[in-house]
């Protein structure tokens, strides 16, 4: 059941989960040796754990973590232009692909989280989305599991996508368990499915965004929220980041300097010994 594709997806998941380079390397090494024994015993005809290219992917992930702002789309017009272009290149010009792109960017969510969104997760009275699950590939096919941070989080839905959300709810017949976003044949969506169905690489290259990947829609949303003045502690909750330092990378350099100054002062005050007051008798 262990295939090269399953191993490759696992490695990329480890990188996305910010496992260290040595952890990834050592994990692969163990798996390679186990599968090498299976090869010698004639159980398999090739070693599926010998994956290549993960070092380059890890370097890209490190660059992304250092400066995620550089990967964001510049403005709303560029986002809608991208969504329309992807729809135009898809088979049957399926509008759902554009909806996924707009929703992912405006909520700063991962594509897997968008795929895992159910109608019941949307609150149209407060216009919020409770992110509870994500769709991920597994050896047995696509499965839904908890979010990356293992905790539910609440994300605001801005006015610009509320009509889109209402339309998607109607398409799901208002079924609380219905998926808000599905492929043209009713299937679950992954970043690879979105890429292939919309000829993503060619479309973004034609628009001048050669660097743009599906995950960069999340970077776009977080960058826009940071520039709009969303406080960093609120932004951290929306993003579901475990570390505040990860969230701070989305702040404009000027804002980051102010935030860092605040953090330094707080640390100084907490570490300083407080004088003991002597009461005169």
């Amino acid at each position: 059941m262990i295939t090269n594709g399953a191993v490759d997806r696992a490695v990329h998941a480890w990188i996305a989960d910010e496992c260290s380079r040595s952890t990834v390397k050592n994990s692969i090494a163990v798996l390679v040796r186990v599968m090498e024994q299976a090869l010698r015993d004639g159980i398999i005809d090739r070693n599926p754990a010998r994956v290549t290219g993960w070092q380059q992917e890890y370097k890209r992930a490190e660059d992304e973590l250092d400066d995620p702002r550089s990967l964001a789309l510049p403005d709303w017009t560029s986002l809608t232009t991208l969504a329309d272009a992807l729809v135009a290149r898809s088979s049957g010009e399926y509008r759902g692909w554009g909806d996924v792109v707009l929703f992912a960017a405006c909520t700063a969510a991962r594509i897997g989280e968008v795929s895992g969104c159910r109608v019941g997760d949307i609150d149209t009275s407060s216009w919020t989305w409770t992110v509870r699950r994500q769709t991920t590939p597994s050896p047995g096919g696509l499965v839904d599991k908890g979010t990356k941070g293992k905790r539910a989080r609440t994300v605001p839905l801005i006015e610009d996508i509320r009509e889109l959300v209402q339309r998607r709810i109607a398409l799901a017949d208002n079924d609380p368990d219905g998926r808000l976003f599905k492929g043209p044949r009713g299937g679950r969506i992954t970043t690879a499915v979105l890429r292939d169905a919309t000829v993503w690489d060619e479309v973004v290259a034609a628009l001048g965004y050669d660097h743009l990947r599906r995950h960069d829609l999340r970077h776009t949303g977080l960058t826009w929220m940071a520039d709009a003045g969303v406080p960093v502690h609120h932004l951290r909750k929306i993003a579901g980041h475990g570390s505040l330092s990860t969230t701070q990378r989305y702040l404009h350099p000027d804002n980051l300097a102010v935030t860092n100054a605040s953090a330094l002062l707080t640390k100084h005050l907490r570490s300083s010994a407080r004088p003991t007051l002597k009461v005169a008798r």
Side-chain angles (χ1 to χ4, degrees):
M1 293 175 63
I2 300 178
T3 64
N4 185 265
V7 175
D8 188 64
R9 287 192 294 271
V11 171
H12 282 74
W14 297 337
I15 295 173
D17 287 341
E18 300 178 24
C19 295
S20 69
R21 188 186 294 264
S22 60
T23 296
V24 175
K25 180 179 178 180
N26 293 339
S27 299
I28 294 175
V30 171
L31 187 57
V32 166
R33 297 190 69 174
V34 170
M35 301 310 294
E36 196 64 31
Q37 184 62 52
L39 179 63
R40 287 195 294 269
D41 291 343
I43 299 173
I44 55 178
D45 56 8
R46 63 188 179 87
N47 191 330
R50 292 192 179 280
V51 294
T52 59
W54 70 268
Q55 293 90 343
Q56 290 80 1
E57 183 66 19
Y58 198 99
K59 180 63 171 64
R60 182 183 177 91
E62 289 179 325
D63 293 341
E64 174 182 306
L65 290 174
D66 287 339
D67 187 17
R69 291 179 57 89
S70 65
L71 304 173
L73 288 167
D75 49 41
W76 176 257
T77 300
S78 62
L79 175 61
T80 55
T81 299
L82 170 64
D84 291 341
L86 292 169
V87 169
R89 285 298 302 274
S90 67
S91 176
E93 298 188 6
Y94 179 56
R95 183 66 238 175
W97 299 128
D99 291 348
V100 168
V101 168
L102 293 173
F103 188 83
C106 291
T107 58
R110 303 172 180 89
I111 297 298
E113 293 171 338
V114 175
S115 178
C117 177
R118 307 288 177 88
V119 171
D121 299 331
I122 302 293
D123 186 342
T124 56
S125 59
S126 62
W127 284 110
T128 56
W129 167 32
T130 302
V131 186
R132 293 188 172 94
R133 69 191 70 80
Q134 62 178 333
T135 299
T136 60
S138 73
L142 296 178
V143 297
D144 286 345
K145 65 176 186 178
T147 61
K148 180 181 175 182
K150 312 303 180 186
R151 296 186 301 272
R153 67 182 192 275
T154 302
V155 175
L157 300 174
I158 63 174
E159 290 185 17
D160 303 78
I161 61 169
R162 291 177 185 176
E163 182 180 348
L164 178 159
V165 170
Q166 288 177 321
R167 174 164 48 82
R168 301 301 307 184
I169 291 175
L171 288 172
D173 296 325
N174 292 286
D175 178 8
D177 293 326
R179 291 183 183 277
L180 199 66
F181 299 96
K182 297 184 291 187
R185 298 180 180 178
R188 282 180 279 196
I189 297 169
T190 66
T191 181
V193 168
L194 178 61
R195 178 196 63 211
D196 296 341
T198 60
V199 199
W200 177 283
D201 294 337
E202 292 183 16
V203 170
V204 296
L207 293 175
Y209 304 127
D210 301 83
H211 71 281
L212 196 73
R213 299 173 301 161
R214 278 69 59 202
H215 193 68
D216 296 335
L217 298 171
R218 173 170 162 84
H219 296 317
T220 294
L222 291 174
T223 298
W224 289 359
M225 290 181 194
D227 289 349
V230 176
V232 66
H233 55 286
H234 290 164
L235 190 63
R236 177 186 177 184
K237 291 182 179 179
I238 293 172
H241 288 153
S243 170
L244 183 63
S245 62
T246 301
T247 311
Q248 286 181 323
R249 294 187 176 101
Y250 291 94
L251 300 181
H252 188 278
D254 293 342
N255 295 336
L256 183 59
V258 174
T259 302
N260 287 341
S262 173
L264 288 172
L265 177 57
T266 300
K267 181 179 180 181
H268 171 72
L269 293 176
R270 289 179 178 176
S271 62
S272 299
R274 295 184 179 181
T276 301
L277 295 179
K278 295 183 178 180
V279 181
R281 295 181 180 180

